[in-house]
């Protein structure tokens, strides 16, 4: 099987050489727990775009082949293969929460330049065919590569547009194309010998550009990916090209502006934000700041009682606001200490229903962390003296919690998860987080990701909602909280078995109820799976839907034909509105089967 691990040296989405053994092990474990066949015959034929006949579609595809070449256009008419994280599909959502065949594209196209992206956009306008750009399609847990409107043509930008265009050692910045993964950017920086860090999320296979425009999060001081971008190039829905920030001002003698990757705001309205989590343009280049290498020390603090939760959050708030904490730390529940061992759930529990608290307790007692309820993973940065003064403050603040323990990586065995945290928190992209996926056979995951005030009482409210509803729908609760000084991203990772229609239905119902219950408390999601986008967008309805109307005005102005990613992030072009496309329950238009 090892030769079947895609390598970064042969494909942009591949595994770096340093991780090939780990990747092989991850693949073998995932497949050993799989009961689903690799693929099943398609139930229905090629899924056409809405209101497009096969004849018109074929003619349109012929036209596109003239521009992109035969190999640049691929019909989605073969059996669907879910693959695994490093060999993910661009034909559908590998982590399908509806029928595997429900959210499929009609074709995938592979532009090799911005000019070709512009041609594709003009083609879409001519034939009124919806297009759906993905950078790499690894937005797993949020919809993967699947389009919101079935039958759309997916533009796989990354396959051929995957260059690190620039690394500037002095300015500590870079400019990348959509197909550059964290793995690739890291390798290129090492190869070139720059003493610069990247900022990576928990898994390193995603697109740097794609994650940032979905406003993803990482764990060095540069962890807010969108906040640390600088400069964009965008293909607009009419096929024209735009540069934001200082990039709008041409450099000397036709060069790029010398401060394109240096100053975000430039002059006039800051428009970069409207190209994140939207369907207003296709980002083909994006600049990022890189952090100069520095000293770092990761640590964990464990807490014995479930009820320590509120106090932990109260202690984090001032430490984060004063920037004593070095990064966005993660607070995890003890059950994650079991999950990140990579062992299946049945190692500890074979009974019915969700994982009982006393079984978590018995499980963690056997681990080096012992009988705990919560774990805080933090990292401090700088020289030895400043790290030790920061740590003194942090230790004394958390010492207020009886029975809390402070541990360094050197206090834990070499196979403990903390060593993976050390890498992530110093900008080294990894694969370790995949171990969660051995929890169940055929496992897939879905994230519920509300924003909640960094306040003990609010933390309790959201945690109780999440715990109660997970119990109602029979799912184990995996809380990971990324806690900042004023708000926290509470990420509840719903792990479900893709072979079970019943689990998928329960996962959907759980999500829908979570979104509604959280919204009643004023908590909204920072990001969501594309099938919940309408519902989440609908909760941001202050002023009788003022934000939705504003987004629609922009959408209609920029994309009058409604060809670009209709429905993404709950923004529908005028041609789709009020026709039943919005999905807030189990049914919506455009779906082959009644049940979504
Ligand atoms: C995680 C964090 C996220 C997210 C999805 C997953 C972490 C998983 C902070 O954002 O959106 C361990």
């Amino acid at each position: 099987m090892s030769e079947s691990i895609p390598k970064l040296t042969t494909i942009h989405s591949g595994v770096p050489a340093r991780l090939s053994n780990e990747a092989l092990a991850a693949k073998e474990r995932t497949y050993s727990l799989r009961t689903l066949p690799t693929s099943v015959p398609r139930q229905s034929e090629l899924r056409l775009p809405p209101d497009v006949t096969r004849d018109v579609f074929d003619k349109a595809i012929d036209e596109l082949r003239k521009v992109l070449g035969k190999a640049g256009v691929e019909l989605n008419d073969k059996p669907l293969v879910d693959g695994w994280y490093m060999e993910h599909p661009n034909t559908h959502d590998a982590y399908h929460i509806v029928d595997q065949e429900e959210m499929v594209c009609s074709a995938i196209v592979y532009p090799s330049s911005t000019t070709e992206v512009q041609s594709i956009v003009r083609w879409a306008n001519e034939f009124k065919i919806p297009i759906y750009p993905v950078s790499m399609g690894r937005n797993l847990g949020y919809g993967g590569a699947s389009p919101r409107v079935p039958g759309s043509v997916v533009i796989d930008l990354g396959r051929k547009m995957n260059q690190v265009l620039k690394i500037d050692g002095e300015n500590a910045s870079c400019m990348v194309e959509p197909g550059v993964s964290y793995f690739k950017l890291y390798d290129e920086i090492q190869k070139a010998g720059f003493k610069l860090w990247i900022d990576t999320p928990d898994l390193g296979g995603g697109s740097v550009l794609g994650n940032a425009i979905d406003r993803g999060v990482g764990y060095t001081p540069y962890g807010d990916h969108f906040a640390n971008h600088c400069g964009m190039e965008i293909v607009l829905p009419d096929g024209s090209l735009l540069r934001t920030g200082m990039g709008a001002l041409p450099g000397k003698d036709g060069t790029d502006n010398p401060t394109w990757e240096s100053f975000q705001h430039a002059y006039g309205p800051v428009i970069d934000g409207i190209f994140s989590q939207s369907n207003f343009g296709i980002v083909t280049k994006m600049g990022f700041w890189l952090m100069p290498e520095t000293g770092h020390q990761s640590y964990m603090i464990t807490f014995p009682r479930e009820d320590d939760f509120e106090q932990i959050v109260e202690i984090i708030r001032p430490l984060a606001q004063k920037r004593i904490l070095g990064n966005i730390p993660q607070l995890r529940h003890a059950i994650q200490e079991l999950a990140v061992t990579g062992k299946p759930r049945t190692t500890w529990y074979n009974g019915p229903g969700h994982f009982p608290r006393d079984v978590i307790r018995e499980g963690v007692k056997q681990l080096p962390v012992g009988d705990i309820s919560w774990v805080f993973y933090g990292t401090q940065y700088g020289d030895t003296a400043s790290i030790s003064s920061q740590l003194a403050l942090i230790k004394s603040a958390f010492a207020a919690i009886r029975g809390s323990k402070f541990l360094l990586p050197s206090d834990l065995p070499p196979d403990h998860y903390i060593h993976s945290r050390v890498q992530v928190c110093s900008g080294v992209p990894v694969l370790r987080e995949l171990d969660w996926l051995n929890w169940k056979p055929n496992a897939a995951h879905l994230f519920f990701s509300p924003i909640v005030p960094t306040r003990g009482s609010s933390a309790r409210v959201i945690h109780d909602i999440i715990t109660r509803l997970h119990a109602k729908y029979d799912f184990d609760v995996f809380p990971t909280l990324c806690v900042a000084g004023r708000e926290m991203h509470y990420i509840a990772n719903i792990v479900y078995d893709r072979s079970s229609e019943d689990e998928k239905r329960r996962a959907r119902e759980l999500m829908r109820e979570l979104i509604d219950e959280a919204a009643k408390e004023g908590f909204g999601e920072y990001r969501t799976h594309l099938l919940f986008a309408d519902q989440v967008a609908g909760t941001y309805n202050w002023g009788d839907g003022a934000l939705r109307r504003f987004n629609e005005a922009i959408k209609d102005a920029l994309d009058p034909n409604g060809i670009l990613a209709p429905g993404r992030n709950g923004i529908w072009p005028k041609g789709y509105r009020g026709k039943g496309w919005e999905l807030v329950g189990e049914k919506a238009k455009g779906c082959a089967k009644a049940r979504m």
Side-chain angles (χ1 to χ4, degrees):
M1 222 202 279
S2 98
E3 60 286 358
S4 74
I5 298 285
K7 296 179 176 59
L8 196 49
T9 43
T10 41
I11 181 163
H12 72 293
S13 59
V15 181
R18 68 186 163 88
L19 292 176
S20 54
N21 289 337
E22 204 179 309
L24 181 61
K27 181 175 181 176
E28 282 174 351
R29 247 174 298 155
T30 300
Y31 277 84
S32 72
L33 288 165
R34 196 167 287 191
T35 60
L36 281 170
T38 306
S39 69
V40 288
R42 293 279 288 255
Q43 306 283 303
S44 48
E45 287 174 31
L46 185 86
R47 187 65 164 274
L48 292 167
D51 305 324
V52 174
T53 62
R54 183 70 202 238
D55 278 356
V56 170
F57 182 74
D58 287 343
K59 180 169 174 290
I61 289 290
D62 281 348
E63 290 298 315
L64 199 54
R65 285 199 168 118
K66 285 181 200 157
V67 182
L68 302 175
K70 267 211 152 66
V73 181
E74 202 176 15
L75 291 187
N76 185 13
D77 56 1
K78 291 163 268 307
L80 301 172
V81 179
D82 287 347
W84 67 295
Y85 182 73
M86 291 309 305
E87 292 169 272
H88 67 298
N90 59 12
T91 48
H92 67 293
D93 184 3
Y95 293 169
H96 36 93
I97 51 167
V98 291
D99 275 0
Q100 187 197 36
E101 244 185 272
E102 195 65 72
M103 304 305 289
V104 290
C105 59
S106 54
I108 308 105
V109 299
Y110 301 99
S112 57
S113 65
T114 301
T115 313
E116 287 191 354
V117 176
Q118 293 176 277
S119 303
I120 295 165
V121 169
R122 295 200 183 98
W123 167 89
N125 276 293
E126 184 186 340
F127 291 96
K128 308 285 186 290
I129 289 178
I131 47 179
Y132 192 88
V134 299
S135 295
M136 293 178 70
R138 275 211 182 105
N139 203 11
L140 295 162
Y142 290 120
S146 81
R148 175 60 182 85
V149 170
S152 298
V153 169
V154 161
I155 309 176
D156 186 333
L157 296 160
R159 172 85 60 104
K160 295 179 179 168
M161 296 171 71
N162 52 43
Q163 296 305 301
V164 178
L165 299 170
K166 182 176 175 185
I167 304 171
D168 184 331
E170 257 175 39
N171 198 52
S173 62
C174 66
M175 175 72 67
V176 298
E177 289 189 311
V180 176
S181 69
Y182 295 97
F183 287 142
K184 177 156 175 168
L185 182 58
Y186 175 80
D187 272 17
E188 298 272 303
I189 289 171
Q190 305 312 306
K191 255 191 279 168
F194 291 109
K195 302 270 180 243
L196 295 170
W197 282 357
I198 67 163
D199 186 280
T200 175
D202 299 80
L203 283 168
S207 159
V208 174
L209 183 158
N211 181 286
I213 59 173
D214 221 33
R215 301 202 293 266
V217 175
Y219 305 96
T220 74
Y222 287 27
D224 179 341
H225 292 165
F226 195 74
N228 286 285
H229 97 275
C230 195
M232 287 178 166
E233 186 174 274
I234 300 150
V235 175
L236 294 175
D238 64 355
S240 63
L241 201 56
L242 174 74
R243 285 186 177 185
T244 67
M246 295 304 296
L249 193 157
K252 196 175 173 181
D253 300 327
T255 55
D256 293 342
N257 188 286
T259 53
W260 195 12
E261 299 99 337
S262 308
F263 184 54
Q264 294 171 316
H265 308 323
Y267 182 76
V270 178
I271 59 167
D272 290 45
I274 70 165
F275 298 102
S276 72
Q277 291 198 9
S278 77
N279 47 15
F280 300 154
I282 303 176
V283 184
T284 50
K285 287 190 178 93
M286 200 162 168
F288 290 93
W289 291 336
L290 300 168
M291 180 164 152
E293 268 182 24
T294 183
H296 57 100
Q297 178 65 59
S298 293
Y299 55 94
M300 69 197 269
I301 307 175
T302 61
F303 306 95
R305 290 166 299 272
E306 291 289 327
D307 293 347
D308 292 333
F309 186 47
E310 284 100 319
Q311 203 183 347
I312 300 167
V313 170
E314 288 292 314
I315 291 171
I316 295 173
R317 186 180 57 246
L319 290 173
Q321 286 178 356
K322 293 180 205 164
R323 306 219 167 143
I324 293 168
L325 294 176
N327 66 348
I328 297 292
Q330 274 193 355
L331 177 63
R332 297 177 166 218
H333 190 265
I335 192 173
Q336 260 93 293
E337 289 294 309
L338 302 180
V340 295
T341 63
K343 295 183 181 135
R345 181 183 200 268
T346 50
T347 311
W348 298 279
Y349 185 61
N350 239 325
H354 59 278
F355 212 88
R357 181 64 187 98
D358 56 318
V359 180
I360 300 176
R361 168 154 289 145
E362 289 312 308
V364 286
K365 272 186 188 166
Q366 312 301 314
L367 299 179
V369 290
D371 185 2
I372 58 159
S373 290
W374 296 96
V375 202
F376 176 93
Y377 284 100
T379 304
Q380 300 308 126
Y381 301 88
D383 59 30
T384 317
S386 61
I387 288 176
S388 73
S389 67
Q390 294 157 19
L391 283 178
L393 292 168
I394 292 161
K395 281 185 198 174
S396 83
F398 282 110
I401 301 181
R402 199 164 35 88
S404 64
K405 282 198 188 114
F406 179 91
L407 298 162
L408 291 172
S410 53
D411 298 324
L412 291 146
D415 63 347
H416 190 271
Y417 173 74
I418 194 166
H419 304 289
S420 158
R421 243 23 248 165
V422 172
Q423 292 190 289
V424 168
C425 296
S426 58
V428 184
V430 299
L431 276 175
R432 178 73 187 262
E433 209 76 31
L434 283 178
D435 284 350
W436 285 44
L437 285 179
N438 302 318
W439 195 247
K440 287 181 178 180
N442 313 298
H445 62 74
L446 177 63
F447 298 124
F448 173 62
S449 320
I451 298 295
V452 178
T454 305
R455 192 187 298 132
S457 54
S458 303
R460 174 55 59 193
V461 169
I462 190 66
H463 185 58
D464 285 351
I465 290 173
I466 288 171
T467 308
R468 172 169 51 82
L469 293 177
H470 275 62
K472 175 175 171 186
Y473 292 102
D474 240 337
F475 283 101
D476 304 331
V477 193
F478 290 113
T480 298
L481 292 92
C482 301
V483 188
R486 296 175 181 83
E487 61 73 37
M488 41 193 210
H489 291 37
Y490 185 133
I491 310 294
N493 190 355
I494 304 167
V495 181
Y496 59 95
D497 179 342
R498 261 172 296 189
S499 74
S500 162
E501 284 307 313
D502 181 57
E503 278 202 32
K504 296 207 295 196
R505 179 190 50 77
R506 283 190 279 116
R508 296 194 298 269
E509 288 176 7
L510 170 59
M511 271 296 274
R512 299 233 177 264
E513 202 165 334
L514 284 167
I515 294 164
D516 283 345
E517 290 276 306
K520 282 186 208 151
E521 298 291 338
F523 307 153
E525 284 64 61
Y526 96 98
R527 182 178 179 189
T528 199
H529 187 287
L530 84 171
L531 287 178
F532 303 96
D534 291 315
Q535 189 186 351
V536 167
T539 62
Y540 287 82
N541 61 1
W542 183 87
D544 198 20
L547 181 61
R548 177 181 50 78
R549 285 193 304 278
F550 184 80
N551 286 334
E552 287 172 356
I554 297 177
K555 182 65 177 166
D556 294 343
L558 293 179
D559 185 10
N561 291 323
I563 47 103
L564 184 58
R568 173 135 186 114
N569 294 97
I571 304 164
W572 291 97
K574 61 175 180 298
Y576 287 79
R577 291 199 290 270
K579 294 186 178 162
W581 282 94
E582 297 86 351
L583 175 62
V584 285
E586 284 279 293
K587 279 185 188 161
K589 183 177 161 160
C591 304
K593 299 166 191 86
R595 203 183 61 228
M596 285 283 297

